């Protein structure tokens, strides 16, 4: 990758890492489902005036919007509201990598390699260790169990959304940005209903009447920077380079998330939590790079004969 494009990739990583801090800050004054409603409403409009609707059957647009948009962010926003630290959320959400692999094997009959299974097992062990040393009441760095389960549910929905995206791109290839923008209409109504039912009418009215500058900044960051700018730059990089050269950069998102949460929110990790984080990242690295290293070794061996 050219140096300029490496910098662009790092910008996206930083934007997506800080995204979790912005969610945490935004939720201090805005109920979770209302924040999600505003986010996707601003993603969809006015961008839809400039980006053509993707030529995708509505059932797939619906499936994509309900999984990767509504499901993922309903669970994620709620988990952070209920006490999930922003830094840990950025890491645990990466379980979507393994959910995607498992769903690909089940629904698309894709094969799982040894390194996929090894990476999954390592990360699961790290997740269990992290959970044991992070639950509220066990340490001074605790989180409620429900917050952890909701974050995993968000990763589950992201994985389903990735499979939906694969099906769409396989049978109806469209620009990624058009899919992001037009699918953003799908979760708006469910989020409005959830906000009215669970956030409560009084909380919604109070938040809208007393909308702060912090709330405005949070909504703008989540909709324009994190979604439109982030996905736009990332899609451009994927268009210029092989996915194998771009995708691994996403492993830096939880690093940026943990660092930004530490600096901006003063979140701290216990030594045991740090150990769990290292083990989870090791599993992600095994899943991402072990197969490529093995392939290079085979090519080197074949070339030396």
């Amino acid at each position: 990758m050219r140096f300029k494009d490496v910098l662009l990739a790092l910008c996206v990583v930083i934007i997506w890492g800080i995204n979790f801090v912005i969610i945490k800050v935004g939720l201090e004054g805005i109920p979770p489902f209302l924040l999600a409603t505003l986010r996707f409403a601003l993603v969809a409009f006015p961008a839809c005036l400039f980006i053509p609707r993707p030529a995708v059957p509505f059932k797939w647009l619906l499936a994509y919007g309900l999984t990767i948009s509504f499901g993922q962010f309903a669970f994620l926003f709620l988990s952070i509201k209920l006490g999930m630290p922003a830094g840990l959320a950025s890491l645990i959400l990466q379980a979507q990598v393994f959910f995607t692999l498992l769903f690909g094997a089940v629904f698309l009959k894709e094969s799982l390699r040894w390194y996929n299974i090894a990476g999954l097992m390592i990360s699961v062990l790290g997740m269990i260790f992290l959970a044991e040393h992070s639950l509220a009441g066990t340490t001074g760095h605790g989180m409620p169990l429900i917050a952890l389960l909701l974050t995993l549910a968000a990763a589950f929905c992201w994985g389903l959304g990735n499979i939906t995206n694969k099906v769409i791109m396989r049978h109806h290839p469209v620009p990624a940005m058009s899919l992001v923008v037009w699918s953003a209409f799908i979760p708006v109504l469910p989020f409005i209903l959830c906000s009215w039912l669970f956030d409560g009418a009084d909380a919604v009215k109070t938040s809208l009447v007393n909308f702060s500058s912090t709330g405005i900044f949070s909504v703008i960051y989540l909709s324009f920077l994190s979604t439109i700018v982030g996905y736009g730059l990332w899609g451009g990089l994927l268009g210029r380079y092989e996915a194998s050269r771009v995708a691994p950069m996403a492993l830096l998102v939880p690093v940026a998330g943990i660092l930004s949460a530490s600096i901006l929110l003063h979140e701290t990790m216990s030594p045991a939590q740090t150990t769990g984080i290292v083990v989870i990242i090791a599993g992600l690295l095994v899943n991402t790079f072990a197969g490529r290293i093995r392939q290079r070794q085979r090519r080197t061996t074949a070339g030396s004969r």
Side-chain angles (χ1 to χ4, degrees), residues 62-261:
L62 181 67
Y64 184 84
L66 289 179
T67 53
I68 209 163
S69 298
F70 176 71
Q72 179 187 178
F73 290 101
F75 288 126
L76 178 62
F77 281 25
L78 193 55
S79 74
I80 293 177
K81 180 68 174 180
L82 293 177
M84 169 61 68
L88 285 181
S90 70
L91 175 68
I92 294 172
L93 197 61
Q94 295 307 311
Q96 60 86 17
V97 172
F98 300 110
F99 282 125
T100 301
L101 290 171
L102 293 174
F103 293 148
V106 172
F107 298 121
L108 303 181
K109 308 304 179 185
E110 296 178 347
S111 59
L112 287 175
R113 307 295 183 184
W114 67 268
Y115 48 85
N116 299 138
I117 297 173
L120 172 61
M121 296 307 297
I122 292 170
S123 287
V124 166
L125 290 174
M127 203 80 72
I128 293 172
F129 187 85
L130 180 64
E132 288 180 347
H133 293 85
S134 298
L135 296 181
T138 60
T139 71
H141 307 77
M143 62 181 174
L145 176 60
I146 185 63
L148 173 62
L149 295 177
L150 286 170
T151 308
L152 288 173
F156 181 94
C157 291
W158 188 356
L160 283 176
N162 286 338
I163 296 303
T164 303
N165 185 69
K166 279 192 173 187
V167 173
I168 290 173
M169 292 305 178
R170 180 178 296 178
H171 300 288
H172 312 280
V174 295
M177 185 51 63
S178 67
L179 185 62
V180 169
V181 168
W182 283 87
S183 68
F185 282 105
I186 301 297
V188 172
L189 180 58
F191 274 131
I192 290 175
L193 293 175
C194 286
S195 184
W196 194 263
L197 290 172
F198 299 109
D199 295 334
D202 291 338
V204 171
K205 292 177 182 177
T206 301
S207 297
L208 293 175
V209 170
N210 301 294
F211 217 71
S212 65
S213 57
T214 302
I216 293 172
F217 173 77
S218 298
V219 172
I220 291 175
Y221 188 101
L222 294 174
S223 56
F224 289 103
L225 271 180
S226 182
T227 306
I228 294 178
V229 174
Y231 279 103
L233 291 176
W234 197 255
L237 291 171
L238 287 171
R240 291 194 293 274
Y241 299 99
E242 301 92 337
S244 61
R245 300 181 69 182
V246 178
M249 298 287 286
L251 291 174
L252 295 175
V253 171
V255 176
I258 291 169
L259 287 176
S260 60

Side-chain angles (χ1 to χ4, degrees), residues 1-37:
M1 292 176 64
R2 293 186 302 171
F3 181 69
K4 172 187 174 184
D5 290 329
V6 171
L7 291 180
L8 287 177
L10 289 176
C11 283
V12 176
V13 165
I14 293 171
I15 288 172
W16 284 348
I18 296 176
N19 174 68
F20 295 89
V21 173
I22 301 301
I23 293 172
K24 189 84 170 179
V25 171
L27 289 173
E28 291 178 358
I30 307 174
F33 296 118
L34 177 58
L35 179 60
T37 300

Side-chain angles (χ1 to χ4, degrees), residues 33-49:
F33 296 118
L34 177 58
L35 179 60
T37 300
L38 296 173
R39 172 188 180 161
F40 284 99
L42 280 180
V43 169
F45 187 86
C48 66
L49 300 177

